[in-house]
Amino acid sequence: MTGPRTARLLFAVGAGGIGLVFVLAVLRLPGFGQPHHPYGARAVAAAVAQHTANAVGSVTFDQRGFDTMGEEFILFAAALAALLLLRQLRSEEEAAGQRHDYGPEDVFAGVRLMGFVMLPVTLLVGGYVVVHGAISPGGGFQGGVVLATGLHLAYLAGDFRTLERLRPLPVLDVTEAMGAATYTIVGFAALASGAGFLANVLPHGRLTDLMSSGTVPLLNVAVGAEVGSAVVLILAKFLEQALTKDRRAEA
Amino acid sequence: MFAVLPYLAAGWIFLIGCYGLATSRNLVHAVVSLAVVQSSTYLLLLAVGWKRDATAPVFGDISPGAPVVDPIVQALTLTDIVVGATVSALLLALTIQVAKRHGTIDPEEIRSLEQDSGDDDGQ
């Protein structure tokens, strides 16, 4: 067997080789901060032409919307796989006739107060980030994560039961699938209208208007719903594992 | 030298993460090391797209003619982060399964367990 010493030696040889090649490659790269970005300039021009103020959002959901669909299904498949992998223990626990029952935990009153004050504020910010994805930094991916994190402030405040009430898992199962489906449906709707798949066929509106940039806000909301639900579902499974472990340790 | 320093920093972070992966004695530590490796690509992409005296490519408060950094590499970084997060979640779920099956998350121990017992009976 390779001992830790041999492993380190092998690593040093490999890392030295990679490092050498990497440095040689980097020395030939255009310098950091140089002004010529031909692809970037074209992407910015295309974003402005489509009246999308957030050029990153335009690249993600308009100029390479098809790639983002693939990315969305990577997320979908990975969430599904994680849920399947984590499912087993749940069935074991249920077979043993145990139930999950957790009341308020003993945490600082200040932490609890802040948790419940910040929870609605964070959810509002998350919704804002999703909806304004086309005109300000953010979008469906970022806002979805903020929404999912906001819900778990209830857990940080020590109240697992409130968290369980706030996130009806069967509803989120459906929301996640609906988010992924909506993205595809928007693509086919564009196809049906005579344009290409996921072409931006809706009216573009005025730059920086909330309802500007055509399909981008729609796709942002679809992705936001999917990402938010997927993160909550995965975290729910991980929390379940952790809590049943604690319970077993106590018993 | 300064013209390539951010690229070199990205390479350094990559190798640090690889070192963590190569010498890891804990699967959770290995997942975090992989996250470090992935974050080196964020830095590399953003460094490639940066332009001196330019701002974020969002035309909410600036006029469309203003100099902005490259939005394409930023969109790629977004993809990178999303895929990285899902990979981490998947690997951590696998780690839980490994812990349940073998009672350890040390890669070396798992290897010797498998050699000793052959195909174990699982659950």
PDB file of all heavy atoms in Angstrom, chain A residues 73-100:
ATOM      1  N   PHE A  73     -30.545  20.953 -15.876  1.00  0.00           N
ATOM      2  CA  PHE A  73     -30.836  19.529 -15.738  1.00  0.00           C
ATOM      3  C   PHE A  73     -29.719  18.786 -15.019  1.00  0.00           C
ATOM      4  O   PHE A  73     -29.980  17.754 -14.388  1.00  0.00           O
ATOM      5  CB  PHE A  73     -31.162  18.910 -17.101  1.00  0.00           C
ATOM      6  CG  PHE A  73     -32.589  19.187 -17.499  1.00  0.00           C
ATOM      7  CD1 PHE A  73     -32.906  20.203 -18.376  1.00  0.00           C
ATOM      8  CD2 PHE A  73     -33.621  18.455 -16.931  1.00  0.00           C
ATOM      9  CE1 PHE A  73     -34.221  20.479 -18.708  1.00  0.00           C
ATOM     10  CE2 PHE A  73     -34.936  18.725 -17.259  1.00  0.00           C
ATOM     11  CZ  PHE A  73     -35.246  19.728 -18.147  1.00  0.00           C
ATOM     12  N   ILE A  74     -28.489  19.330 -15.070  1.00  0.00           N
ATOM     13  CA  ILE A  74     -27.425  18.768 -14.219  1.00  0.00           C
ATOM     14  C   ILE A  74     -27.849  18.915 -12.763  1.00  0.00           C
ATOM     15  O   ILE A  74     -27.797  17.970 -11.973  1.00  0.00           O
ATOM     16  CB  ILE A  74     -26.089  19.503 -14.441  1.00  0.00           C
ATOM     17  CG1 ILE A  74     -25.506  19.165 -15.811  1.00  0.00           C
ATOM     18  CG2 ILE A  74     -25.087  19.153 -13.352  1.00  0.00           C
ATOM     19  CD1 ILE A  74     -24.240  19.930 -16.133  1.00  0.00           C
ATOM     20  N   LEU A  75     -28.303  20.137 -12.432  1.00  0.00           N
ATOM     21  CA  LEU A  75     -28.758  20.411 -11.066  1.00  0.00           C
ATOM     22  C   LEU A  75     -29.905  19.486 -10.687  1.00  0.00           C
ATOM     23  O   LEU A  75     -29.924  18.887  -9.605  1.00  0.00           O
ATOM     24  CB  LEU A  75     -29.207  21.872 -10.984  1.00  0.00           C
ATOM     25  CG  LEU A  75     -29.668  22.351  -9.622  1.00  0.00           C
ATOM     26  CD1 LEU A  75     -28.463  22.640  -8.763  1.00  0.00           C
ATOM     27  CD2 LEU A  75     -30.513  23.596  -9.747  1.00  0.00           C
ATOM     28  N   PHE A  76     -30.847  19.331 -11.594  1.00  0.00           N
ATOM     29  CA  PHE A  76     -32.026  18.494 -11.350  1.00  0.00           C
ATOM     30  C   PHE A  76     -31.599  17.051 -11.085  1.00  0.00           C
ATOM     31  O   PHE A  76     -32.032  16.420 -10.115  1.00  0.00           O
ATOM     32  CB  PHE A  76     -32.948  18.583 -12.575  1.00  0.00           C
ATOM     33  CG  PHE A  76     -34.283  17.957 -12.374  1.00  0.00           C
ATOM     34  CD1 PHE A  76     -35.254  18.573 -11.593  1.00  0.00           C
ATOM     35  CD2 PHE A  76     -34.588  16.744 -12.974  1.00  0.00           C
ATOM     36  CE1 PHE A  76     -36.488  17.998 -11.414  1.00  0.00           C
ATOM     37  CE2 PHE A  76     -35.827  16.163 -12.799  1.00  0.00           C
ATOM     38  CZ  PHE A  76     -36.779  16.781 -12.014  1.00  0.00           C
ATOM     39  N   ALA A  77     -30.727  16.539 -11.960  1.00  0.00           N
ATOM     40  CA  ALA A  77     -30.289  15.143 -11.834  1.00  0.00           C
ATOM     41  C   ALA A  77     -29.494  14.936 -10.549  1.00  0.00           C
ATOM     42  O   ALA A  77     -29.670  13.932  -9.856  1.00  0.00           O
ATOM     43  CB  ALA A  77     -29.458  14.751 -13.050  1.00  0.00           C
ATOM     44  N   ALA A  78     -28.619  15.923 -10.225  1.00  0.00           N
ATOM     45  CA  ALA A  78     -27.799  15.779  -9.026  1.00  0.00           C
ATOM     46  C   ALA A  78     -28.665  15.816  -7.775  1.00  0.00           C
ATOM     47  O   ALA A  78     -28.452  15.046  -6.831  1.00  0.00           O
ATOM     48  CB  ALA A  78     -26.751  16.882  -8.974  1.00  0.00           C
ATOM     49  N   ALA A  79     -29.671  16.711  -7.773  1.00  0.00           N
ATOM     50  CA  ALA A  79     -30.575  16.782  -6.622  1.00  0.00           C
ATOM     51  C   ALA A  79     -31.313  15.466  -6.466  1.00  0.00           C
ATOM     52  O   ALA A  79     -31.439  14.918  -5.363  1.00  0.00           O
ATOM     53  CB  ALA A  79     -31.561  17.937  -6.796  1.00  0.00           C
ATOM     54  N   LEU A  80     -31.779  14.929  -7.583  1.00  0.00           N
ATOM     55  CA  LEU A  80     -32.493  13.650  -7.565  1.00  0.00           C
ATOM     56  C   LEU A  80     -31.600  12.551  -7.001  1.00  0.00           C
ATOM     57  O   LEU A  80     -32.018  11.756  -6.152  1.00  0.00           O
ATOM     58  CB  LEU A  80     -32.903  13.315  -8.997  1.00  0.00           C
ATOM     59  CG  LEU A  80     -34.126  12.451  -9.202  1.00  0.00           C
ATOM     60  CD1 LEU A  80     -35.349  13.195  -8.697  1.00  0.00           C
ATOM     61  CD2 LEU A  80     -34.287  12.137 -10.689  1.00  0.00           C
ATOM     62  N   ALA A  81     -30.350  12.512  -7.475  1.00  0.00           N
ATOM     63  CA  ALA A  81     -29.418  11.473  -7.036  1.00  0.00           C
ATOM     64  C   ALA A  81     -29.137  11.608  -5.547  1.00  0.00           C
ATOM     65  O   ALA A  81     -29.117  10.606  -4.818  1.00  0.00           O
ATOM     66  CB  ALA A  81     -28.118  11.574  -7.835  1.00  0.00           C
ATOM     67  N   ALA A  82     -28.947  12.870  -5.082  1.00  0.00           N
ATOM     68  CA  ALA A  82     -28.674  13.075  -3.658  1.00  0.00           C
ATOM     69  C   ALA A  82     -29.871  12.622  -2.824  1.00  0.00           C
ATOM     70  O   ALA A  82     -29.714  11.967  -1.793  1.00  0.00           O
ATOM     71  CB  ALA A  82     -28.359  14.546  -3.382  1.00  0.00           C
ATOM     72  N   LEU A  83     -31.071  12.935  -3.282  1.00  0.00           N
ATOM     73  CA  LEU A  83     -32.272  12.532  -2.543  1.00  0.00           C
ATOM     74  C   LEU A  83     -32.375  11.016  -2.490  1.00  0.00           C
ATOM     75  O   LEU A  83     -32.712  10.439  -1.460  1.00  0.00           O
ATOM     76  CB  LEU A  83     -33.523  13.115  -3.202  1.00  0.00           C
ATOM     77  CG  LEU A  83     -33.649  14.637  -3.173  1.00  0.00           C
ATOM     78  CD1 LEU A  83     -34.964  15.068  -3.784  1.00  0.00           C
ATOM     79  CD2 LEU A  83     -33.544  15.153  -1.758  1.00  0.00           C
ATOM     80  N   LEU A  84     -32.074  10.352  -3.603  1.00  0.00           N
ATOM     81  CA  LEU A  84     -32.136   8.884  -3.631  1.00  0.00           C
ATOM     82  C   LEU A  84     -31.122   8.274  -2.674  1.00  0.00           C
ATOM     83  O   LEU A  84     -31.437   7.342  -1.930  1.00  0.00           O
ATOM     84  CB  LEU A  84     -31.865   8.374  -5.053  1.00  0.00           C
ATOM     85  CG  LEU A  84     -33.057   8.378  -5.999  1.00  0.00           C
ATOM     86  CD1 LEU A  84     -32.610   8.002  -7.393  1.00  0.00           C
ATOM     87  CD2 LEU A  84     -34.127   7.429  -5.505  1.00  0.00           C
ATOM     88  N   LEU A  85     -29.900   8.835  -2.687  1.00  0.00           N
ATOM     89  CA  LEU A  85     -28.845   8.297  -1.827  1.00  0.00           C
ATOM     90  C   LEU A  85     -29.192   8.464  -0.362  1.00  0.00           C
ATOM     91  O   LEU A  85     -28.861   7.617   0.468  1.00  0.00           O
ATOM     92  CB  LEU A  85     -27.526   9.017  -2.115  1.00  0.00           C
ATOM     93  CG  LEU A  85     -26.742   8.544  -3.317  1.00  0.00           C
ATOM     94  CD1 LEU A  85     -25.589   9.481  -3.572  1.00  0.00           C
ATOM     95  CD2 LEU A  85     -26.235   7.134  -3.082  1.00  0.00           C
ATOM     96  N   LEU A  86     -29.857   9.580  -0.041  1.00  0.00           N
ATOM     97  CA  LEU A  86     -30.129   9.872   1.368  1.00  0.00           C
ATOM     98  C   LEU A  86     -31.447   9.262   1.829  1.00  0.00           C
ATOM     99  O   LEU A  86     -31.791   9.356   2.997  1.00  0.00           O
ATOM    100  CB  LEU A  86     -30.156  11.389   1.579  1.00  0.00           C
ATOM    101  CG  LEU A  86     -28.822  12.074   1.350  1.00  0.00           C
ATOM    102  CD1 LEU A  86     -28.980  13.573   1.339  1.00  0.00           C
ATOM    103  CD2 LEU A  86     -27.846  11.664   2.433  1.00  0.00           C
ATOM    104  N   ARG A  87     -32.175   8.637   0.940  1.00  0.00           N
ATOM    105  CA  ARG A  87     -33.517   8.169   1.261  1.00  0.00           C
ATOM    106  C   ARG A  87     -33.487   6.976   2.201  1.00  0.00           C
ATOM    107  O   ARG A  87     -34.310   6.853   3.095  1.00  0.00           O
ATOM    108  CB  ARG A  87     -34.226   7.790  -0.049  1.00  0.00           C
ATOM    109  CG  ARG A  87     -35.632   7.308   0.152  1.00  0.00           C
ATOM    110  CD  ARG A  87     -36.466   7.560  -1.080  1.00  0.00           C
ATOM    111  NE  ARG A  87     -37.395   8.632  -0.841  1.00  0.00           N
ATOM    112  CZ  ARG A  87     -37.806   9.481  -1.755  1.00  0.00           C
ATOM    113  NH1 ARG A  87     -37.335   9.423  -2.970  1.00  0.00           N
ATOM    114  NH2 ARG A  87     -38.693  10.405  -1.463  1.00  0.00           N
ATOM    115  N   GLN A  88     -32.477   6.121   2.036  1.00  0.00           N
ATOM    116  CA  GLN A  88     -32.472   4.825   2.694  1.00  0.00           C
ATOM    117  C   GLN A  88     -32.734   4.884   4.192  1.00  0.00           C
ATOM    118  O   GLN A  88     -33.571   4.164   4.702  1.00  0.00           O
ATOM    119  CB  GLN A  88     -31.136   4.150   2.461  1.00  0.00           C
ATOM    120  CG  GLN A  88     -31.273   2.655   2.353  1.00  0.00           C
ATOM    121  CD  GLN A  88     -30.275   2.104   1.367  1.00  0.00           C
ATOM    122  OE1 GLN A  88     -29.337   2.779   0.955  1.00  0.00           O
ATOM    123  NE2 GLN A  88     -30.462   0.877   0.961  1.00  0.00           N
ATOM    124  N   LEU A  89     -32.020   5.812   4.852  1.00  0.00           N
ATOM    125  CA  LEU A  89     -32.133   5.861   6.298  1.00  0.00           C
ATOM    126  C   LEU A  89     -33.559   6.158   6.730  1.00  0.00           C
ATOM    127  O   LEU A  89     -34.050   5.616   7.706  1.00  0.00           O
ATOM    128  CB  LEU A  89     -31.197   6.943   6.838  1.00  0.00           C
ATOM    129  CG  LEU A  89     -31.041   6.858   8.351  1.00  0.00           C
ATOM    130  CD1 LEU A  89     -29.743   6.178   8.684  1.00  0.00           C
ATOM    131  CD2 LEU A  89     -31.089   8.229   8.980  1.00  0.00           C
ATOM    132  N   ARG A  90     -34.218   7.016   5.965  1.00  0.00           N
ATOM    133  CA  ARG A  90     -35.598   7.366   6.281  1.00  0.00           C
ATOM    134  C   ARG A  90     -36.462   6.108   6.345  1.00  0.00           C
ATOM    135  O   ARG A  90     -37.200   5.883   7.292  1.00  0.00           O
ATOM    136  CB  ARG A  90     -36.113   8.337   5.217  1.00  0.00           C
ATOM    137  CG  ARG A  90     -37.564   8.678   5.302  1.00  0.00           C
ATOM    138  CD  ARG A  90     -37.826   9.487   6.567  1.00  0.00           C
ATOM    139  NE  ARG A  90     -39.249   9.774   6.672  1.00  0.00           N
ATOM    140  CZ  ARG A  90     -39.794  10.873   6.223  1.00  0.00           C
ATOM    141  NH1 ARG A  90     -39.056  11.775   5.654  1.00  0.00           N
ATOM    142  NH2 ARG A  90     -41.080  11.072   6.378  1.00  0.00           N
ATOM    143  N   SER A  91     -36.321   5.231   5.331  1.00  0.00           N
ATOM    144  CA  SER A  91     -37.155   4.037   5.318  1.00  0.00           C
ATOM    145  C   SER A  91     -36.777   3.120   6.479  1.00  0.00           C
ATOM    146  O   SER A  91     -37.632   2.497   7.104  1.00  0.00           O
ATOM    147  CB  SER A  91     -37.017   3.316   3.980  1.00  0.00           C
ATOM    148  OG  SER A  91     -35.673   2.988   3.748  1.00  0.00           O
ATOM    149  N   GLU A  92     -35.469   3.093   6.798  1.00  0.00           N
ATOM    150  CA  GLU A  92     -35.047   2.285   7.944  1.00  0.00           C
ATOM    151  C   GLU A  92     -35.720   2.774   9.218  1.00  0.00           C
ATOM    152  O   GLU A  92     -36.262   1.992   9.996  1.00  0.00           O
ATOM    153  CB  GLU A  92     -33.533   2.406   8.147  1.00  0.00           C
ATOM    154  CG  GLU A  92     -32.713   1.655   7.131  1.00  0.00           C
ATOM    155  CD  GLU A  92     -31.278   2.146   7.115  1.00  0.00           C
ATOM    156  OE1 GLU A  92     -30.878   2.845   8.059  1.00  0.00           O
ATOM    157  OE2 GLU A  92     -30.578   1.844   6.138  1.00  0.00           O
ATOM    158  N   GLU A  93     -35.695   4.105   9.394  1.00  0.00           N
ATOM    159  CA  GLU A  93     -36.277   4.672  10.601  1.00  0.00           C
ATOM    160  C   GLU A  93     -37.768   4.388  10.674  1.00  0.00           C
ATOM    161  O   GLU A  93     -38.297   4.055  11.718  1.00  0.00           O
ATOM    162  CB  GLU A  93     -36.045   6.186  10.636  1.00  0.00           C
ATOM    163  CG  GLU A  93     -34.597   6.570  10.861  1.00  0.00           C
ATOM    164  CD  GLU A  93     -34.106   6.124  12.219  1.00  0.00           C
ATOM    165  OE1 GLU A  93     -34.876   6.245  13.179  1.00  0.00           O
ATOM    166  OE2 GLU A  93     -32.969   5.637  12.312  1.00  0.00           O
ATOM    167  N   GLU A  94     -38.436   4.509   9.548  1.00  0.00           N
ATOM    168  CA  GLU A  94     -39.879   4.297   9.550  1.00  0.00           C
ATOM    169  C   GLU A  94     -40.210   2.838   9.814  1.00  0.00           C
ATOM    170  O   GLU A  94     -41.187   2.516  10.477  1.00  0.00           O
ATOM    171  CB  GLU A  94     -40.475   4.763   8.211  1.00  0.00           C
ATOM    172  CG  GLU A  94     -40.697   6.261   8.210  1.00  0.00           C
ATOM    173  CD  GLU A  94     -41.065   6.802   6.855  1.00  0.00           C
ATOM    174  OE1 GLU A  94     -41.099   6.014   5.894  1.00  0.00           O
ATOM    175  OE2 GLU A  94     -41.300   8.006   6.766  1.00  0.00           O
ATOM    176  N   ALA A  95     -39.343   1.950   9.292  1.00  0.00           N
ATOM    177  CA  ALA A  95     -39.567   0.530   9.537  1.00  0.00           C
ATOM    178  C   ALA A  95     -39.472   0.245  11.025  1.00  0.00           C
ATOM    179  O   ALA A  95     -40.197  -0.588  11.556  1.00  0.00           O
ATOM    180  CB  ALA A  95     -38.539  -0.288   8.767  1.00  0.00           C
ATOM    181  N   ALA A  96     -38.579   0.962  11.722  1.00  0.00           N
ATOM    182  CA  ALA A  96     -38.432   0.750  13.151  1.00  0.00           C
ATOM    183  C   ALA A  96     -39.528   1.466  13.945  1.00  0.00           C
ATOM    184  O   ALA A  96     -39.515   1.448  15.163  1.00  0.00           O
ATOM    185  CB  ALA A  96     -37.057   1.243  13.593  1.00  0.00           C
ATOM    186  N   GLY A  97     -40.455   2.116  13.278  1.00  0.00           N
ATOM    187  CA  GLY A  97     -41.589   2.738  13.947  1.00  0.00           C
ATOM    188  C   GLY A  97     -41.241   4.040  14.641  1.00  0.00           C
ATOM    189  O   GLY A  97     -41.986   4.509  15.494  1.00  0.00           O
ATOM    190  N   GLN A  98     -40.091   4.661  14.269  1.00  0.00           N
ATOM    191  CA  GLN A  98     -39.709   5.918  14.918  1.00  0.00           C
ATOM    192  C   GLN A  98     -40.229   7.097  14.112  1.00  0.00           C
ATOM    193  O   GLN A  98     -40.385   7.013  12.904  1.00  0.00           O
ATOM    194  CB  GLN A  98     -38.192   6.006  15.012  1.00  0.00           C
ATOM    195  CG  GLN A  98     -37.655   5.093  16.089  1.00  0.00           C
ATOM    196  CD  GLN A  98     -36.152   5.142  16.134  1.00  0.00           C
ATOM    197  OE1 GLN A  98     -35.502   5.154  15.105  1.00  0.00           O
ATOM    198  NE2 GLN A  98     -35.612   5.181  17.330  1.00  0.00           N
ATOM    199  N   ARG A  99     -40.465   8.208  14.801  1.00  0.00           N
ATOM    200  CA  ARG A  99     -40.896   9.407  14.090  1.00  0.00           C
ATOM    201  C   ARG A  99     -39.968  10.555  14.444  1.00  0.00           C
ATOM    202  O   ARG A  99     -39.297  10.531  15.463  1.00  0.00           O
ATOM    203  CB  ARG A  99     -42.338   9.749  14.440  1.00  0.00           C
ATOM    204  CG  ARG A  99     -43.318   8.863  13.702  1.00  0.00           C
ATOM    205  CD  ARG A  99     -44.764   9.210  14.018  1.00  0.00           C
ATOM    206  NE  ARG A  99     -45.118  10.580  13.663  1.00  0.00           N
ATOM    207  CZ  ARG A  99     -45.373  11.511  14.551  1.00  0.00           C
ATOM    208  NH1 ARG A  99     -45.302  11.248  15.834  1.00  0.00           N
ATOM    209  NH2 ARG A  99     -45.714  12.718  14.168  1.00  0.00           N
ATOM    210  N   HIS A 100     -39.953  11.546  13.544  1.00  0.00           N
ATOM    211  CA  HIS A 100     -39.106  12.710  13.805  1.00  0.00           C
ATOM    212  C   HIS A 100     -39.929  13.733  14.567  1.00  0.00           C
ATOM    213  O   HIS A 100     -40.981  14.135  14.123  1.00  0.00           O
ATOM    214  CB  HIS A 100     -38.614  13.315  12.496  1.00  0.00           C
ATOM    215  CG  HIS A 100     -37.992  12.289  11.614  1.00  0.00           C
ATOM    216  ND1 HIS A 100     -36.707  11.862  11.797  1.00  0.00           N
ATOM    217  CD2 HIS A 100     -38.495  11.591  10.578  1.00  0.00           C
ATOM    218  CE1 HIS A 100     -36.437  10.936  10.893  1.00  0.00           C
ATOM    219  NE2 HIS A 100     -37.506  10.758  10.146  1.00  0.00           N
TER     220      HIS A 100
END
